[in-house]
Amino acid sequence: MQVRILAFGIARDILGAGNLSLDLPQGATVAELKARLCRDYPSFEKLASLAIALNAEYASDSQAISTGDEVAIIPPVSGG
Amino acid sequence: MTNREKLDQEELRRYARHLALPGFGMEGQQKLKAGRVLVIGAGGLGAPVLLYLAAAGVGRIGIVDFDRVEETNLQRQVLYTVQDVGRFKAEAARERLLALNPHISVEVFTVPFSRENALELIAPFDVVVDGTDNFPTRYLSNDACVLAGKPLVYGSIFRFEGQAAVFNHLLEDGQRSPNYRDIFPTPPPPELVPNCAEGGVLGVLPGIIGSIQANEAIKLLAGIGEPLAGKLLVMDAANLATRILKIPKTPGLEIRELIDYEQFCAPTPPAPVREISVQELQGLLAQNADIQLIDVREPYEYGIANLGGELIPPGEIPASAARIARDKMVVFYCRSGKRSAEAIRQLRQQEGLDNLCNLRGGILAWAREIDPSMKQY
């Protein structure tokens, strides 16, 4: 299934784009998405602290992703 | 109504547009006058926060900041002028705010906001605004507000992106809204997240996010609207894509005491990489040794000074691994040796390469010790 990824902050640098589409197995969870990103983008693993939102709602690791979902990846930023 | 909240004739004139505002009016203005806000950090975010809180008539404003105004601040910290360069930010800010609104009081604390003074500093205030520029102080502000039972108006920026939220807000059911640790329980490794000085920041961005923070602080004090509690606003100024995410409380997360935040946010020591000195590299080049030289900087830096290496900017390293030789020594360099060491670690992990070597001190060491005619930047 295709999901839309919206990457913010340093995640955008790591993934190389702010917007991308990813093909995931049907019913994949947030944890599986993270594992996939760590495999494809080794630096992703270092982002221990990370908010993932599914369709504008904070999502836990066990939550399942559905076709057409928008997944936002939001790392912390510190500037002021 | 107590005397503290009573508006005099001049104030009634000054705040006429608030008094005329449906849902705000005299009651809202009096609440602002009685309101006490502590702003931690008088930088990019603090500047608009302070200006709008002062203009709006928040009766008592505290500023914690021990930095002095620098020339590079003027691109976004609209509180300050060229004449303020070198002065304490908090002092310059106080003068500017009182010139804008003499009906308020402004207290300055030109000390670092620390574990030792945090609770004492925030105690006399109703609302705390986070305008800090680093993770240790952000976690400290968050934890101190949770322990003291104060709402925290959070804001943070990076390049074109900003975040804002209201943490630890007292809800109608007596519970507190989620806080920073519910979203980001642990800090990221520092080497991964550049600050404004390293990563750059669009000057108007703190103006936007800081104005959102001022708006939230005023709503909290006046008791109007719906605060950004239990939510995180994320905005990309490059395309104005804005998301407001719902944030739940993390079950079992409890903040009991202030900790050592520098240690909490400290970098994990980086794995060592093989190094050569600029003298050794000079020797290898003089012998025409069969080595590959890779320059890990941005193209504009290459234009300023270079050693003739192949240019692979840091962001292109993962995709350019095929260009790295496997059968000979490869020397990586950048300006100071930091980015090139990181590139080597990345390639070691990604490709398992062990023929990579870092130029200690980078281009700067070369300019200092080998070729003084090379530009240092």
Side-chain angles (χ1 to χ4, degrees), chain B residues 14-45:
Chain B
R14 162 178 279 267
Y15 304 124
R17 300 297 180 273
H18 270 165
L19 300 179
L21 184 63
F24 197 96
M26 181 63 88
E27 197 190 333
Q29 193 61 49
Q30 285 170 343
K31 284 181 179 165
L32 288 196
K33 184 168 180 179
R36 299 160 297 183
V37 179
L38 181 69
V39 179
I40 306 172
L45 293 169

Side-chain angles (χ1 to χ4, degrees), chain B residues 166 168-178 227-230 249:
Chain B
V166 173
N168 201 47
H169 175 55
L170 185 60
L171 305 172
E172 276 174 8
D173 62 2
Q175 301 283 309
R176 293 277 170 175
S177 72
L228 195 58
K249 288 246 325 165

Side-chain angles (χ1 to χ4, degrees), chain B residues 134-153:
Chain B
N134 61 83
F135 284 112
T137 319
R138 282 197 186 284
Y139 279 96
L140 169 61
S141 310
N142 180 74
D143 293 3
C145 283
V146 170
L147 290 174
K150 309 275 180 181
L152 175 66
V153 182

Side-chain angles (χ1 to χ4, degrees), chain B residues 54-67:
Chain B
V58 171
R60 187 171 161 195
I61 297 176
I63 309 173
V64 192
D65 198 312
F66 68 103
D67 273 348

Side-chain angles (χ1 to χ4, degrees), chain B residues 263-284:
Chain B
Q263 196 195 4
F264 180 56
C265 299
T268 40
V273 299
R274 254 169 72 200
E275 288 189 329
I276 65 166
S277 67
V278 286
Q279 287 79 11
E280 285 168 306
L281 177 64
Q282 187 188 29
L284 289 169

Side-chain angles (χ1 to χ4, degrees), chain B residues 288-312:
Chain B
N288 272 327
D290 185 22
I291 61 169
Q292 187 185 23
L293 204 51
I294 302 282
D295 189 323
V296 191
R297 294 178 301 155
E298 303 299 335
Y300 84 89
E301 300 180 80
Y302 198 87
I304 297 172
N306 75 77
L307 298 175
E310 286 174 50
L311 179 67
I312 307 182

Side-chain angles (χ1 to χ4, degrees), chain A residues 9 12-13 49 70 74 77 79, chain B residues 156 159 161 186 236 243 245:
Chain A
R12 175 194 293 258
D13 289 19
S49 213
E70 180 193 82
I74 303 153
V77 296
Chain B
S156 190
R159 292 185 180 157
E161 295 173 16
T186 54
D236 182 350
R243 299 286 185 279
L245 313 172

Side-chain angles (χ1 to χ4, degrees), chain A residues 43-66:
Chain A
S43 297
F44 202 84
E45 202 157 359
K46 290 194 243 165
L47 268 184
S49 213
L50 194 66
I52 300 253
L54 280 186
N55 305 323
E57 199 144 336
Y58 192 89
S60 65
D61 276 358
S62 59
Q63 225 156 308
I65 306 171
S66 308

